Each structure stands twice: as structure tokens, then as C-alpha cells.
């Protein structure tokens, strides 16, 4: 199984939530809700200032680099 393979080669349990930065249950979400939830998580993680111009077009206003 994938779980055994990841534990063998990478020494991680793929079912432990602390191994992930973000989790989203998309069971009851529309595609645009999924996009916005992921987009907001990425924006928060990268500390980007994002301007949503419409439902399709997004513009990055500033993207500070973290090294």
C-alpha cells in the first residue's frame, strides 16, 4: 500500500495531519470554493498581496521573498 511504501522509504505516516501544511475536505464544495480556499491558503503561506480582478484573473501585487 501507499502507506507502507511511504513509511518504508520516507519514514513518514501519510495519514498524520501534522505532516501536511493544509487540508481541505472538498466533499461539499463547489469548484470555485475549492479554488478560493486553496488560493487563500497559498496567499497566507507565501504572504502575498493578491488582487482578485474577477473569478478567473488574479494579479500578484507584491511577493516578498523569504529565504
Amino acid at each position: 500500500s501507499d502507506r507502507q511504501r511511504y513509511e518504508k522509504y520516507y519514514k513518514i505516516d501519510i495519514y498524520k495531519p501534522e505532516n501536511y501544511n493544509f487540508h481541505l475536505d472538498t466533499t461539499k464544495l463547489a469548484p470555485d470554493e475549492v479554488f478560493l480556499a486553496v488560493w487563500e491558503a497559498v496567499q497566507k503561506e507565501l504572504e502575498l498581496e493578491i488582487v482578485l480582478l474577477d473569478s478567473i484573473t488574479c494579479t500578484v501585487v507584491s511577493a516578498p521573498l523569504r529565504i
Side-chain angles (χ1 to χ4, degrees), residues 41-50 62-66:
V42 169
Q43 179 181 356
K44 181 179 177 183
E45 183 70 24
L46 298 178
E47 297 176 356
L48 296 176
E49 183 180 335
I50 306 298
S62 64
L65 295 176
R66 288 190 297 171

Side-chain angles (χ1 to χ4, degrees), residues 31-44:
D32 58 329
E33 293 172 310
V34 173
F35 171 82
L36 287 175
V38 171
W39 189 253
E40 288 171 1
V42 169
Q43 179 181 356
K44 181 179 177 183

Side-chain angles (χ1 to χ4, degrees), residues 12-53:
I12 63 168
D13 182 351
I14 61 174
Y15 292 104
K16 291 177 95 174
E18 58 267 16
N19 289 329
Y20 300 93
N21 294 334
F22 179 69
H23 170 82
L24 179 64
D25 180 0
T26 61
T27 306
K28 297 179 180 180
L29 298 178
D32 58 329
E33 293 172 310
V34 173
F35 171 82
L36 287 175
V38 171
W39 189 253
E40 288 171 1
V42 169
Q43 179 181 356
K44 181 179 177 183
E45 183 70 24
L46 298 178
E47 297 176 356
L48 296 176
E49 183 180 335
I50 306 298
V51 177
L52 294 176
L53 301 176

Side-chain angles (χ1 to χ4, degrees), residues 1-14:
S1 76
D2 283 340
R3 185 178 197 167
Q4 291 171 333
R5 183 169 48 91
Y6 272 81
E7 285 180 5
K8 178 180 178 181
Y9 292 110
Y10 306 110
K11 309 293 188 246
I12 63 168
D13 182 351
I14 61 174

